[in-house]
Amino acid sequence: MKLYYPQYIAEIDGVKVSVFITKRGTNGAWHTIVSTNTNLSFVKTIEIYNIRWTIEVFFYVKSIVMQSVTKKFPKNQGVRSLTLQNHFP
């Protein structure tokens, strides 16, 4: 399966950006990735995006767990800390 990702350099609100428009195969959906670093290749941009997404998911899950713990243990019951272990590859 082929991945198409033409790159365009554009300016948005006075900021130079690199725009990648991606499509997997001939019937795939189109996706757009915008980066303010115009020197990055498509592969490097995707690698950075993947790392960022992993961090976002981790903090989202952490916030859900902390909300749950806060509801179960009100402040006066003294929950001092909660450790989450990150098992992302």
Side-chain angles (χ1 to χ4, degrees), residues 31-86:
H31 299 280
T32 304
I33 298 176
V34 179
S35 172
T36 56
N37 187 339
T38 58
N39 296 321
L40 292 178
S41 68
F42 172 73
V43 172
K44 189 65 178 173
T45 302
I46 291 297
E47 287 174 359
I48 292 169
Y49 177 80
N50 187 32
I51 292 167
R52 174 64 188 215
W53 186 251
T54 302
I55 292 167
E56 292 291 335
V57 170
F58 171 77
F59 281 105
Y60 176 73
V61 170
K62 178 184 171 193
S63 72
I64 291 172
V65 170
M66 291 305 291
Q67 288 173 9
S68 175
V69 167
T70 304
K71 288 178 184 176
K72 289 180 182 177
F73 303 102
K75 289 183 180 180
N76 61 359
Q77 290 186 4
V79 174
R80 295 178 189 250
S81 68
L82 176 68
T83 303
L84 297 176
Q85 293 182 346
N86 185 354

Side-chain angles (χ1 to χ4, degrees), residues 9-29:
I9 304 297
E11 194 170 302
I12 300 174
D13 291 335
V15 178
K16 196 173 182 181
V17 295
S18 183
V19 180
F20 296 98
I21 302 173
T22 66
K23 183 177 181 183
R24 185 176 295 190
T26 55
N27 297 324

